[in-house]
Amino acid sequence: IVVCTSTNPGDRPLADIALKNDVYYFNGDEEDVLNRLLMAAKYFKLDYFLGITADNPLITIEYSNMIVEQIKKNKYDFIKLEGLPFGAATYGMRVNALETVCRVKKVIDTEIWGRLIDQPDIFDIKNIVVEEPFNRPELRFTLDYEEDYRFINNLYTNVPFEKVLNLKDVFGYIDENPEARNINRDCVQLDLDSSIIEKINGYYRNNKDEVLRLKREIYSNRKFN
């Protein structure tokens, strides 16, 4: 486990908590999240990693383990989950694929980076469709707004747990207490502007051969000039 945080002094308590619990940590770029992940992966000499976003505390361990099983096959560049509540998914990524994306994003400036790697013409992508009872895409489990915080706090206050919340228990509580679900119902998830999405897709479309050449060089561990 590596807690991947920034060099901002305000994030120092996160590193202190990691140290106290014998967990590795890495201080990287405050603004460039992808570069931070890449530098951490290289520092710890990783080939793959399972990414868990810190402001998404309601992940599913069961499906995260499925991602790990796919990682062990050494076949895919990006492994994603489809159908979970927004904010409950984790992901798997090959470090060479991340490096390729970091090279490309110097041309395309964006922090909502999923569309940079979710490009099946460039990367080998594995999409795992989740089954019942986990398939609840209408729910929102991420933390962007005050309403999200109140919703998550409500769950941790009212759903019994020992170490981590069980999503099946969370679903049962929400279904029996619709007023809890309504706490963050009106929160709108930010996404890229359609013009930026087209810019990303257009770049990959118009520069496919060059991106694939870059990918081959990175994957073969040759120095890129």
Side-chain angles (χ1 to χ4, degrees):
I1 299 173
V2 178
V3 175
C4 201
T5 185
S6 84
T7 54
N8 187 315
D11 288 335
R12 180 65 206 185
L14 297 174
D16 292 339
I17 292 171
L19 280 173
K20 183 178 179 180
N21 290 276
D22 295 322
V23 172
Y24 294 111
Y25 71 91
F26 182 87
N27 300 120
D29 194 297
E30 181 179 4
E31 301 295 333
D32 193 336
V33 176
L34 284 185
N35 181 264
R36 187 194 312 166
L37 292 174
L38 179 61
M39 293 301 100
K42 286 190 169 186
Y43 181 84
F44 288 98
K45 297 180 172 58
L46 305 180
D47 296 315
Y48 280 92
F49 63 89
L50 172 74
I52 302 174
T53 305
D55 53 4
N56 294 344
L58 296 169
I59 67 164
T60 161
I61 295 175
E62 180 176 338
Y63 275 94
S64 295
N65 285 335
M66 289 185 187
I67 292 176
V68 171
E69 291 304 311
Q70 293 296 328
I71 286 175
K72 290 177 180 178
K73 296 179 180 180
N74 191 28
K75 182 178 180 181
Y76 301 107
D77 296 317
F78 185 56
I79 306 161
K80 61 179 182 174
L81 301 172
E82 178 184 339
L84 286 168
F86 188 87
T90 54
Y91 63 91
M93 191 182 301
R94 189 193 300 268
V95 174
N96 282 340
L98 174 59
E99 183 166 358
T100 304
V101 168
C102 284
R103 301 278 191 179
V104 169
K105 78 177 183 63
K106 293 180 180 179
V107 181
I108 304 170
D109 182 22
T110 176
E111 284 302 317
I112 302 178
W113 54 265
R115 295 180 186 271
L116 287 170
I117 193 167
D118 197 358
Q119 298 285 337
D121 288 341
I122 304 295
F123 300 105
D124 294 317
I125 298 172
K126 174 67 174 179
N127 184 40
I128 301 175
V129 179
V130 304
E131 300 177 351
E132 298 292 346
F134 294 99
N135 197 304
R136 300 288 298 271
E138 76 280 5
L139 298 176
R140 176 183 173 84
F141 285 178
T142 193
L143 182 59
D144 289 323
Y145 301 95
E146 181 180 347
E147 292 85 353
D148 293 330
Y149 172 78
R150 289 196 285 110
F151 171 70
I152 293 173
N153 187 59
N154 181 285
L155 298 180
Y156 274 91
T157 300
N158 293 291
V159 181
F161 69 98
E162 293 183 4
K163 292 185 178 180
V164 295
L165 279 175
N166 184 300
L167 283 193
K168 293 179 182 179
D169 294 337
V170 171
F171 296 147
Y173 171 75
I174 291 174
D175 292 339
E176 293 176 4
N177 299 273
E179 69 279 2
R181 177 180 173 181
N182 291 335
I183 294 174
N184 68 343
R185 180 189 288 272
D186 295 330
C187 293
V188 178
Q189 182 56 36
L190 298 178
D191 196 1
L192 294 176
D193 185 83
S194 59
S195 62
I196 298 178
I197 294 173
E198 176 53 33
K199 181 179 180 181
I200 293 172
N201 293 336
Y203 178 83
Y204 278 110
R205 186 169 55 246
N206 298 328
N207 298 276
K208 180 178 178 180
D209 291 341
E210 178 62 21
V211 175
L212 287 174
R213 182 191 69 81
L214 167 62
K215 179 186 174 186
R216 286 193 298 270
E217 291 198 19
I218 291 174
Y219 279 49
S220 64
N221 292 320
R222 290 199 298 268
K223 183 177 180 181
F224 179 74
N225 296 316

